[in-house]
Amino acid sequence: MTEPAREDPAADNPGGADAEGQTRRTARPRDAASLIVWRIGPAGPEILMGKRHARHRFMPDVMVFPGGRVDADDHRQAAVRELEPVTQRMLERRATPARARAIAIAAVRELHEETGLVLGERRGGGVAADLGALHYICRAVTPGRRPIRFNARFLAAPAEAVHGDIAGSGELERLDWYTPEAAHRHHVADITGKVLVEFLDWLEMSPRARRSRPLIVFRGMDNRHQER
C-alpha cells in the first residue's frame, strides 16, 4: 500500500495517526505538531477542536486539535518571540534545535491555516509566530506498519494569546470551544483522549511542577512511557 497523495488532507493532520490499514514496510514517522488552545469557561477548561471531514480517507468524523506535519518552509519563518528555554529543551528531546523550532512554527502555522486564529502577528499571507506563548505537553508516535505515521508533538497556548475570528479552511468542521466531556460526545480517538488527560494534568500543575515533570511519549498502541 502506498501513501496517500500529498494533497490528501488526511495525510497531514496528526489526528489521522490512528489510520486503519497496514503496510509491508515500516513507514518513517513524519514530524508534526498539534496545538491545544484553551480557555476557562463556566464549566471548566474549554479546548478549541474541530471534526475531520466525513470524506477524509482516514479517521473521518473524529475530533482533533489543529495541527499538521512540519514543512520545509517552517525552518525559515520569522517569529516575534522565540521559544521559552524550558519549552525549547523539551522539544529538543528528539529533535535538533533547528528542528524543534520548526515544529513549534508548524503548530502556529497550522492553527492559522485551519482556524484563522493568529498566535503572533500577521505578515503578508502568513504569521510571524509568538513561540514564547507555547507550552510542551507530550508527544505521540504512530504505531509501526500504519500507512501514515507521525512523530507528533502536542503543544498548548492560552486563548488570550491568540487573536482573530474563527474561520475554518474546510479541513476541520464544527470548530468551536469544547469541554473534554463535550468533545468525547463527538467521537475522540483514543490517542486524542489520552493527550487530553495529559493536558488536563498539566493544567493543574504549578509552573514549577510543569518545568520539572517527566516527559511522556505514547508509542505502540498508544502505550504511555516516560521519555528516556
Side-chain angles (χ1 to χ4, degrees), residues 25-41:
R25 296 180 180 178
T26 300
R28 180 179 179 180
R30 290 173 283 185
D31 285 324
S34 282
L35 186 52
I36 303 170
V37 182
W38 89 91
R39 69 184 187 186
I40 303 300

PDB file of all heavy atoms in Angstrom, residues 25-41:
ATOM      1  N   ARG A  25       6.150  -2.388   4.737  1.00  0.00           N
ATOM      2  CA  ARG A  25       7.331  -1.733   5.283  1.00  0.00           C
ATOM      3  C   ARG A  25       6.909  -0.775   6.387  1.00  0.00           C
ATOM      4  O   ARG A  25       5.824  -0.220   6.363  1.00  0.00           O
ATOM      5  CB  ARG A  25       8.052  -0.954   4.185  1.00  0.00           C
ATOM      6  CG  ARG A  25       8.604  -1.822   3.061  1.00  0.00           C
ATOM      7  CD  ARG A  25       9.305  -0.958   2.036  1.00  0.00           C
ATOM      8  NE  ARG A  25       9.850  -1.754   0.938  1.00  0.00           N
ATOM      9  CZ  ARG A  25      10.478  -1.244  -0.107  1.00  0.00           C
ATOM     10  NH1 ARG A  25      10.644   0.077  -0.185  1.00  0.00           N
ATOM     11  NH2 ARG A  25      10.947  -2.028  -1.061  1.00  0.00           N
ATOM     12  N   THR A  26       7.811  -0.590   7.336  1.00  0.00           N
ATOM     13  CA  THR A  26       7.541   0.363   8.402  1.00  0.00           C
ATOM     14  C   THR A  26       7.842   1.765   7.905  1.00  0.00           C
ATOM     15  O   THR A  26       8.989   2.088   7.594  1.00  0.00           O
ATOM     16  CB  THR A  26       8.400   0.057   9.646  1.00  0.00           C
ATOM     17  OG1 THR A  26       8.096  -1.260  10.107  1.00  0.00           O
ATOM     18  CG2 THR A  26       8.111   1.054  10.756  1.00  0.00           C
ATOM     19  N   ALA A  27       6.810   2.575   7.804  1.00  0.00           N
ATOM     20  CA  ALA A  27       6.988   3.945   7.325  1.00  0.00           C
ATOM     21  C   ALA A  27       7.680   4.778   8.397  1.00  0.00           C
ATOM     22  O   ALA A  27       7.447   4.597   9.599  1.00  0.00           O
ATOM     23  CB  ALA A  27       5.631   4.558   6.989  1.00  0.00           C
ATOM     24  N   ARG A  28       8.523   5.693   7.959  1.00  0.00           N
ATOM     25  CA  ARG A  28       9.203   6.578   8.898  1.00  0.00           C
ATOM     26  C   ARG A  28       8.227   7.648   9.385  1.00  0.00           C
ATOM     27  O   ARG A  28       7.569   8.304   8.575  1.00  0.00           O
ATOM     28  CB  ARG A  28      10.403   7.244   8.217  1.00  0.00           C
ATOM     29  CG  ARG A  28      11.171   8.184   9.128  1.00  0.00           C
ATOM     30  CD  ARG A  28      12.353   8.788   8.399  1.00  0.00           C
ATOM     31  NE  ARG A  28      13.083   9.708   9.255  1.00  0.00           N
ATOM     32  CZ  ARG A  28      14.155  10.383   8.877  1.00  0.00           C
ATOM     33  NH1 ARG A  28      14.617  10.227   7.645  1.00  0.00           N
ATOM     34  NH2 ARG A  28      14.756  11.199   9.712  1.00  0.00           N
ATOM     35  N   PRO A  29       8.119   7.839  10.689  1.00  0.00           N
ATOM     36  CA  PRO A  29       7.200   8.877  11.185  1.00  0.00           C
ATOM     37  C   PRO A  29       7.635  10.263  10.745  1.00  0.00           C
ATOM     38  O   PRO A  29       8.821  10.597  10.785  1.00  0.00           O
ATOM     39  CB  PRO A  29       7.291   8.736  12.714  1.00  0.00           C
ATOM     40  CG  PRO A  29       7.887   7.399  12.959  1.00  0.00           C
ATOM     41  CD  PRO A  29       8.779   7.115  11.788  1.00  0.00           C
ATOM     42  N   ARG A  30       6.683  11.076  10.329  1.00  0.00           N
ATOM     43  CA  ARG A  30       6.961  12.446   9.934  1.00  0.00           C
ATOM     44  C   ARG A  30       6.735  13.377  11.120  1.00  0.00           C
ATOM     45  O   ARG A  30       5.742  13.238  11.845  1.00  0.00           O
ATOM     46  CB  ARG A  30       6.068  12.849   8.755  1.00  0.00           C
ATOM     47  CG  ARG A  30       6.443  12.143   7.463  1.00  0.00           C
ATOM     48  CD  ARG A  30       5.445  12.429   6.364  1.00  0.00           C
ATOM     49  NE  ARG A  30       4.232  11.648   6.540  1.00  0.00           N
ATOM     50  CZ  ARG A  30       3.227  11.642   5.666  1.00  0.00           C
ATOM     51  NH1 ARG A  30       3.288  12.390   4.584  1.00  0.00           N
ATOM     52  NH2 ARG A  30       2.168  10.897   5.887  1.00  0.00           N
ATOM     53  N   ASP A  31       7.647  14.313  11.313  1.00  0.00           N
ATOM     54  CA  ASP A  31       7.478  15.277  12.395  1.00  0.00           C
ATOM     55  C   ASP A  31       6.212  16.090  12.170  1.00  0.00           C
ATOM     56  O   ASP A  31       5.919  16.535  11.051  1.00  0.00           O
ATOM     57  CB  ASP A  31       8.680  16.219  12.472  1.00  0.00           C
ATOM     58  CG  ASP A  31       9.895  15.562  13.073  1.00  0.00           C
ATOM     59  OD1 ASP A  31       9.730  14.736  13.989  1.00  0.00           O
ATOM     60  OD2 ASP A  31      11.021  15.861  12.642  1.00  0.00           O
ATOM     61  N   ALA A  32       5.464  16.272  13.250  1.00  0.00           N
ATOM     62  CA  ALA A  32       4.206  17.009  13.176  1.00  0.00           C
ATOM     63  C   ALA A  32       3.965  17.693  14.515  1.00  0.00           C
ATOM     64  O   ALA A  32       4.614  17.387  15.518  1.00  0.00           O
ATOM     65  CB  ALA A  32       3.050  16.059  12.844  1.00  0.00           C
ATOM     66  N   ALA A  33       3.030  18.621  14.498  1.00  0.00           N
ATOM     67  CA  ALA A  33       2.702  19.357  15.726  1.00  0.00           C
ATOM     68  C   ALA A  33       1.208  19.639  15.765  1.00  0.00           C
ATOM     69  O   ALA A  33       0.593  19.925  14.731  1.00  0.00           O
ATOM     70  CB  ALA A  33       3.466  20.672  15.786  1.00  0.00           C
ATOM     71  N   SER A  34       0.639  19.535  16.945  1.00  0.00           N
ATOM     72  CA  SER A  34      -0.745  19.936  17.188  1.00  0.00           C
ATOM     73  C   SER A  34      -0.749  20.964  18.311  1.00  0.00           C
ATOM     74  O   SER A  34       0.082  20.907  19.221  1.00  0.00           O
ATOM     75  CB  SER A  34      -1.604  18.737  17.582  1.00  0.00           C
ATOM     76  OG  SER A  34      -1.960  17.969  16.464  1.00  0.00           O
ATOM     77  N   LEU A  35      -1.704  21.886  18.232  1.00  0.00           N
ATOM     78  CA  LEU A  35      -1.766  22.960  19.214  1.00  0.00           C
ATOM     79  C   LEU A  35      -3.085  22.910  19.974  1.00  0.00           C
ATOM     80  O   LEU A  35      -4.160  22.988  19.377  1.00  0.00           O
ATOM     81  CB  LEU A  35      -1.602  24.314  18.525  1.00  0.00           C
ATOM     82  CG  LEU A  35      -1.506  25.536  19.434  1.00  0.00           C
ATOM     83  CD1 LEU A  35      -0.433  25.347  20.503  1.00  0.00           C
ATOM     84  CD2 LEU A  35      -1.211  26.791  18.620  1.00  0.00           C
ATOM     85  N   ILE A  36      -2.964  22.777  21.289  1.00  0.00           N
ATOM     86  CA  ILE A  36      -4.120  22.790  22.185  1.00  0.00           C
ATOM     87  C   ILE A  36      -4.295  24.225  22.675  1.00  0.00           C
ATOM     88  O   ILE A  36      -3.512  24.701  23.489  1.00  0.00           O
ATOM     89  CB  ILE A  36      -3.914  21.834  23.373  1.00  0.00           C
ATOM     90  CG1 ILE A  36      -3.635  20.408  22.878  1.00  0.00           C
ATOM     91  CG2 ILE A  36      -5.121  21.858  24.304  1.00  0.00           C
ATOM     92  CD1 ILE A  36      -3.176  19.458  23.970  1.00  0.00           C
ATOM     93  N   VAL A  37      -5.303  24.917  22.155  1.00  0.00           N
ATOM     94  CA  VAL A  37      -5.618  26.266  22.603  1.00  0.00           C
ATOM     95  C   VAL A  37      -6.758  26.147  23.606  1.00  0.00           C
ATOM     96  O   VAL A  37      -7.788  25.539  23.305  1.00  0.00           O
ATOM     97  CB  VAL A  37      -6.016  27.174  21.428  1.00  0.00           C
ATOM     98  CG1 VAL A  37      -6.294  28.586  21.917  1.00  0.00           C
ATOM     99  CG2 VAL A  37      -4.922  27.182  20.373  1.00  0.00           C
ATOM    100  N   TRP A  38      -6.561  26.709  24.788  1.00  0.00           N
ATOM    101  CA  TRP A  38      -7.566  26.519  25.834  1.00  0.00           C
ATOM    102  C   TRP A  38      -7.979  27.840  26.483  1.00  0.00           C
ATOM    103  O   TRP A  38      -7.271  28.838  26.416  1.00  0.00           O
ATOM    104  CB  TRP A  38      -7.033  25.568  26.906  1.00  0.00           C
ATOM    105  CG  TRP A  38      -6.292  26.245  28.019  1.00  0.00           C
ATOM    106  CD1 TRP A  38      -6.810  26.704  29.192  1.00  0.00           C
ATOM    107  CD2 TRP A  38      -4.892  26.568  28.064  1.00  0.00           C
ATOM    108  NE1 TRP A  38      -5.825  27.278  29.962  1.00  0.00           N
ATOM    109  CE2 TRP A  38      -4.638  27.207  29.297  1.00  0.00           C
ATOM    110  CE3 TRP A  38      -3.839  26.364  27.179  1.00  0.00           C
ATOM    111  CZ2 TRP A  38      -3.383  27.647  29.654  1.00  0.00           C
ATOM    112  CZ3 TRP A  38      -2.577  26.808  27.533  1.00  0.00           C
ATOM    113  CH2 TRP A  38      -2.361  27.429  28.767  1.00  0.00           C
ATOM    114  N   ARG A  39      -9.150  27.780  27.088  1.00  0.00           N
ATOM    115  CA  ARG A  39      -9.654  28.873  27.915  1.00  0.00           C
ATOM    116  C   ARG A  39     -10.455  28.256  29.048  1.00  0.00           C
ATOM    117  O   ARG A  39     -10.810  27.069  29.001  1.00  0.00           O
ATOM    118  CB  ARG A  39     -10.531  29.825  27.091  1.00  0.00           C
ATOM    119  CG  ARG A  39     -11.851  29.208  26.646  1.00  0.00           C
ATOM    120  CD  ARG A  39     -12.634  30.159  25.751  1.00  0.00           C
ATOM    121  NE  ARG A  39     -13.967  29.636  25.455  1.00  0.00           N
ATOM    122  CZ  ARG A  39     -14.831  30.200  24.614  1.00  0.00           C
ATOM    123  NH1 ARG A  39     -14.484  31.310  23.964  1.00  0.00           N
ATOM    124  NH2 ARG A  39     -16.036  29.663  24.407  1.00  0.00           N
ATOM    125  N   ILE A  40     -10.720  29.040  30.071  1.00  0.00           N
ATOM    126  CA  ILE A  40     -11.521  28.563  31.199  1.00  0.00           C
ATOM    127  C   ILE A  40     -12.935  29.114  31.050  1.00  0.00           C
ATOM    128  O   ILE A  40     -13.152  30.319  31.030  1.00  0.00           O
ATOM    129  CB  ILE A  40     -10.911  28.993  32.547  1.00  0.00           C
ATOM    130  CG1 ILE A  40      -9.480  28.473  32.658  1.00  0.00           C
ATOM    131  CG2 ILE A  40     -11.757  28.481  33.697  1.00  0.00           C
ATOM    132  CD1 ILE A  40      -9.342  26.970  32.586  1.00  0.00           C
ATOM    133  N   GLY A  41     -13.886  28.206  30.917  1.00  0.00           N
ATOM    134  CA  GLY A  41     -15.288  28.574  30.776  1.00  0.00           C
ATOM    135  C   GLY A  41     -16.065  28.311  32.051  1.00  0.00           C
ATOM    136  O   GLY A  41     -15.495  27.926  33.086  1.00  0.00           O
TER     137      GLY A  41
END
